[in-house]
Amino acid sequence: MSWIDRLRGAVFTRDNAIVGAVTWVLLLGVNAALVYTSPSFAHRLPFDIVRLISPCYRSFIYLDPNRASNTPRFEVVLGDSFAEGGGDEWLSSDPRYGLFNKLEPTDGRQFISFARSGYGAIGTVTEERRCRRMLEHATALGFSRDAVSHLTFVFYEGNDLNDVLREQNHRSSEAKYTARFLMPVFDYVYQKFRSGRAALPTRTAGNSASPPGYPRSASGILFGDFPQSAALELSNDEIDQALDALFGSLQTVASRYPGRQLQFLYIPAVASSYDFRGALRTQSYAGLPFFPTTGDANTRRHETVRERVLTAVAALGWRFCDASPALRVVTGAGTPVHGPRDWQHLNKNGYRVLAQRYADCFGGAQPSDA
């Protein structure tokens, strides 16, 4: 090889290195700009992107640009897929899906959601701590704890106690969480090569016909799936352990926001939202086709859990709001508040009831016509 060929090779290698370095600098700059401006557009990203990047970007799903202010005020939302709006509306891409899209605050505050599908109390409170730091220091949101006026914890009787038991022994990397938020472009590319994960997983009936065994309520509502019970598969000791973890989590998050209005919204299990009499097959979390019980047994467990939660959260300074009676009025008249596709989450009827219940209990927001 002549000296001319060697020189050309060196120049080519140098040019490639420069192009590569410039490309990386541009990518990092674009990435940083996306992180900083994410509050203005993240809630409009396609689901295929949102489900793969850091869950912290789902905190913006309820932001309303029309309510932007130079002195922003926020209501922090904690919970699981019910707080995120899982159900038939979400499956149908309804832009006003869920509870918080149906509420219009009268004082200009915005909803910031640290609720995540599949999370229990420990998970959502941990998410608040981790994600809040990202929003405070890496974005243009203007979010801080000083700007928070309300905390709302959305509790679902059907599986939140199961979830918090699972979370007690779960540990995850703080560094990985931070890296995923700060590097959404690279995170998306990496996650795209892995198997997809549903952000709002749901069990849906395969067809409109209900096979033998799916229950019918006393008011004649025929189900398309086995309803979730009031944590009937948990033993009394497991109920005690799960409730202790729930109450401890409420104390932890309340200590981060002293003096704020604390709001606890209790959503009954699917089976607790209807009048079932006699034998009842419910969804199993133990890998069984179903869990056999009775309507009376579910009612007793619902009443026990509800009373214990009410007593404890009131003692901790949280305003308690139970959606059970309002939902049962609707279902007692023959109108389902779940299904027909997703029988594990509320449908539009159910979320409308929930929005009205929120307004009646806590004030400060009016239900919309959505």
Short mmCIF file of all heavy atoms in Angstrom, two decimals, residues 195-222:
data_model
loop_
_atom_site.label_atom_id
_atom_site.label_comp_id
_atom_site.label_asym_id
_atom_site.label_seq_id
_atom_site.Cartn_x
_atom_site.Cartn_y
_atom_site.Cartn_z
N SER A 195 -39.44 -7.49 23.97
CA SER A 195 -40.87 -7.79 23.86
C SER A 195 -41.69 -6.65 24.44
O SER A 195 -41.31 -6.05 25.45
CB SER A 195 -41.20 -9.08 24.60
OG SER A 195 -40.85 -8.98 25.96
N GLY A 196 -42.80 -6.29 23.76
CA GLY A 196 -43.66 -5.18 24.20
C GLY A 196 -44.31 -5.47 25.52
O GLY A 196 -44.55 -6.61 25.89
N ARG A 197 -44.59 -4.38 26.25
CA ARG A 197 -45.28 -4.49 27.53
C ARG A 197 -46.48 -3.57 27.51
O ARG A 197 -46.37 -2.40 27.17
CB ARG A 197 -44.37 -4.07 28.70
CG ARG A 197 -43.12 -4.88 28.84
CD ARG A 197 -42.15 -4.15 29.72
NE ARG A 197 -41.86 -2.84 29.17
CZ ARG A 197 -41.31 -1.87 29.86
NH1 ARG A 197 -41.05 -2.02 31.12
NH2 ARG A 197 -41.08 -0.70 29.29
N ALA A 198 -47.63 -4.07 27.86
CA ALA A 198 -48.84 -3.24 27.84
C ALA A 198 -48.83 -2.30 29.03
O ALA A 198 -48.67 -2.72 30.16
CB ALA A 198 -50.09 -4.11 27.88
N ALA A 199 -49.01 -1.02 28.80
CA ALA A 199 -49.04 -0.03 29.88
C ALA A 199 -50.31 -0.12 30.70
O ALA A 199 -50.32 0.17 31.88
CB ALA A 199 -48.90 1.37 29.31
N LEU A 200 -51.37 -0.52 30.05
CA LEU A 200 -52.63 -0.70 30.77
C LEU A 200 -53.17 -2.09 30.46
O LEU A 200 -54.09 -2.27 29.67
CB LEU A 200 -53.67 0.36 30.34
CG LEU A 200 -53.40 1.76 30.85
CD1 LEU A 200 -54.36 2.75 30.19
CD2 LEU A 200 -53.57 1.82 32.35
N PRO A 201 -52.60 -3.14 31.04
CA PRO A 201 -53.03 -4.49 30.72
C PRO A 201 -54.48 -4.71 31.14
O PRO A 201 -54.95 -4.16 32.12
CB PRO A 201 -52.07 -5.37 31.54
CG PRO A 201 -51.63 -4.50 32.67
CD PRO A 201 -51.59 -3.10 32.12
N THR A 202 -55.15 -5.52 30.39
CA THR A 202 -56.56 -5.77 30.70
C THR A 202 -56.99 -7.12 30.20
O THR A 202 -56.48 -7.62 29.20
CB THR A 202 -57.45 -4.67 30.09
OG1 THR A 202 -58.80 -4.92 30.45
CG2 THR A 202 -57.35 -4.65 28.57
N ARG A 203 -57.88 -7.73 30.89
CA ARG A 203 -58.52 -8.95 30.42
C ARG A 203 -59.81 -8.54 29.72
O ARG A 203 -60.62 -7.83 30.28
CB ARG A 203 -58.87 -9.86 31.62
CG ARG A 203 -57.69 -10.55 32.25
CD ARG A 203 -58.03 -11.00 33.66
NE ARG A 203 -59.32 -11.66 33.74
CZ ARG A 203 -59.50 -12.98 33.71
NH1 ARG A 203 -58.46 -13.77 33.54
NH2 ARG A 203 -60.69 -13.51 33.84
N THR A 204 -59.98 -8.98 28.51
CA THR A 204 -61.20 -8.65 27.78
C THR A 204 -61.87 -9.92 27.33
O THR A 204 -61.22 -10.91 27.00
CB THR A 204 -60.91 -7.76 26.56
OG1 THR A 204 -60.02 -8.47 25.69
CG2 THR A 204 -60.26 -6.45 26.97
N ALA A 205 -63.19 -9.88 27.31
CA ALA A 205 -63.94 -11.03 26.84
C ALA A 205 -63.69 -11.25 25.36
O ALA A 205 -63.61 -10.30 24.58
CB ALA A 205 -65.43 -10.82 27.09
N GLY A 206 -63.53 -12.51 24.95
CA GLY A 206 -63.23 -12.81 23.58
C GLY A 206 -64.39 -12.56 22.64
O GLY A 206 -64.20 -12.28 21.47
N ASN A 207 -65.60 -12.64 23.14
CA ASN A 207 -66.76 -12.36 22.31
C ASN A 207 -67.90 -11.91 23.20
O ASN A 207 -67.79 -11.91 24.42
CB ASN A 207 -67.16 -13.60 21.49
CG ASN A 207 -67.35 -14.82 22.38
OD1 ASN A 207 -68.21 -14.83 23.25
ND2 ASN A 207 -66.52 -15.86 22.18
N SER A 208 -68.99 -11.54 22.60
CA SER A 208 -70.10 -10.97 23.36
C SER A 208 -70.90 -12.04 24.09
O SER A 208 -71.64 -11.74 25.02
CB SER A 208 -71.02 -10.18 22.42
OG SER A 208 -71.50 -11.03 21.39
N ALA A 209 -70.77 -13.29 23.67
CA ALA A 209 -71.53 -14.36 24.32
C ALA A 209 -70.83 -14.78 25.60
O ALA A 209 -69.61 -14.93 25.63
CB ALA A 209 -71.66 -15.55 23.38
N SER A 210 -71.58 -14.97 26.67
CA SER A 210 -71.01 -15.36 27.95
C SER A 210 -71.12 -16.87 28.12
O SER A 210 -72.23 -17.39 28.14
CB SER A 210 -71.73 -14.65 29.09
OG SER A 210 -71.54 -13.27 29.00
N PRO A 211 -70.00 -17.59 28.24
CA PRO A 211 -70.08 -19.03 28.42
C PRO A 211 -70.63 -19.37 29.79
O PRO A 211 -70.67 -18.52 30.68
CB PRO A 211 -68.61 -19.47 28.29
CG PRO A 211 -67.81 -18.27 28.66
CD PRO A 211 -68.62 -17.10 28.20
N PRO A 212 -71.06 -20.61 30.01
CA PRO A 212 -71.60 -21.01 31.32
C PRO A 212 -70.59 -20.72 32.43
O PRO A 212 -69.39 -20.97 32.28
CB PRO A 212 -71.82 -22.52 31.14
CG PRO A 212 -72.00 -22.71 29.68
CD PRO A 212 -71.10 -21.70 29.03
N GLY A 213 -71.06 -20.18 33.53
CA GLY A 213 -70.20 -19.89 34.66
C GLY A 213 -69.99 -18.42 34.89
O GLY A 213 -69.73 -18.01 36.02
N TYR A 214 -70.07 -17.60 33.84
CA TYR A 214 -69.99 -16.16 34.06
C TYR A 214 -71.27 -15.71 34.75
O TYR A 214 -72.37 -16.13 34.38
CB TYR A 214 -69.81 -15.42 32.74
CG TYR A 214 -68.44 -15.55 32.12
CD1 TYR A 214 -68.19 -15.05 30.86
CD2 TYR A 214 -67.39 -16.18 32.79
CE1 TYR A 214 -66.93 -15.16 30.28
CE2 TYR A 214 -66.14 -16.30 32.23
CZ TYR A 214 -65.91 -15.79 30.97
OH TYR A 214 -64.66 -15.90 30.42
N PRO A 215 -71.15 -14.85 35.75
CA PRO A 215 -72.31 -14.57 36.61
C PRO A 215 -73.30 -13.58 36.01
O PRO A 215 -72.99 -12.83 35.10
CB PRO A 215 -71.67 -14.00 37.87
CG PRO A 215 -70.43 -13.34 37.37
CD PRO A 215 -69.93 -14.19 36.25
N ARG A 216 -74.48 -13.59 36.60
CA ARG A 216 -75.52 -12.61 36.29
C ARG A 216 -75.91 -11.95 37.61
O ARG A 216 -76.16 -12.64 38.61
CB ARG A 216 -76.72 -13.27 35.65
CG ARG A 216 -77.81 -12.27 35.20
CD ARG A 216 -79.08 -12.99 34.76
NE ARG A 216 -78.85 -13.82 33.60
CZ ARG A 216 -78.98 -13.41 32.34
NH1 ARG A 216 -79.31 -12.14 32.10
NH2 ARG A 216 -78.76 -14.23 31.33
N SER A 217 -75.97 -10.64 37.65
CA SER A 217 -76.32 -9.94 38.88
C SER A 217 -77.82 -10.07 39.15
O SER A 217 -78.60 -10.47 38.27
CB SER A 217 -75.95 -8.46 38.79
OG SER A 217 -76.84 -7.78 37.91
N ALA A 218 -78.22 -9.71 40.36
CA ALA A 218 -79.64 -9.80 40.73
C ALA A 218 -80.50 -8.88 39.88
O ALA A 218 -81.69 -9.13 39.71
CB ALA A 218 -79.80 -9.46 42.21
N SER A 219 -79.91 -7.82 39.32
CA SER A 219 -80.66 -6.91 38.47
C SER A 219 -80.64 -7.32 37.00
O SER A 219 -81.14 -6.60 36.14
CB SER A 219 -80.11 -5.48 38.60
OG SER A 219 -78.76 -5.42 38.18
N GLY A 220 -80.03 -8.50 36.72
CA GLY A 220 -80.08 -9.03 35.37
C GLY A 220 -78.89 -8.72 34.48
O GLY A 220 -78.92 -9.01 33.28
N ILE A 221 -77.82 -8.15 35.03
CA ILE A 221 -76.64 -7.82 34.22
C ILE A 221 -75.80 -9.08 34.03
O ILE A 221 -75.32 -9.67 35.00
CB ILE A 221 -75.81 -6.72 34.89
CG1 ILE A 221 -76.64 -5.43 35.01
CG2 ILE A 221 -74.53 -6.46 34.11
CD1 ILE A 221 -75.99 -4.36 35.84
N LEU A 222 -75.62 -9.50 32.77
CA LEU A 222 -74.85 -10.69 32.44
C LEU A 222 -73.41 -10.30 32.16
O LEU A 222 -73.13 -9.45 31.31
CB LEU A 222 -75.44 -11.39 31.22
CG LEU A 222 -74.77 -12.69 30.78
CD1 LEU A 222 -74.86 -13.74 31.88
CD2 LEU A 222 -75.40 -13.19 29.49
#
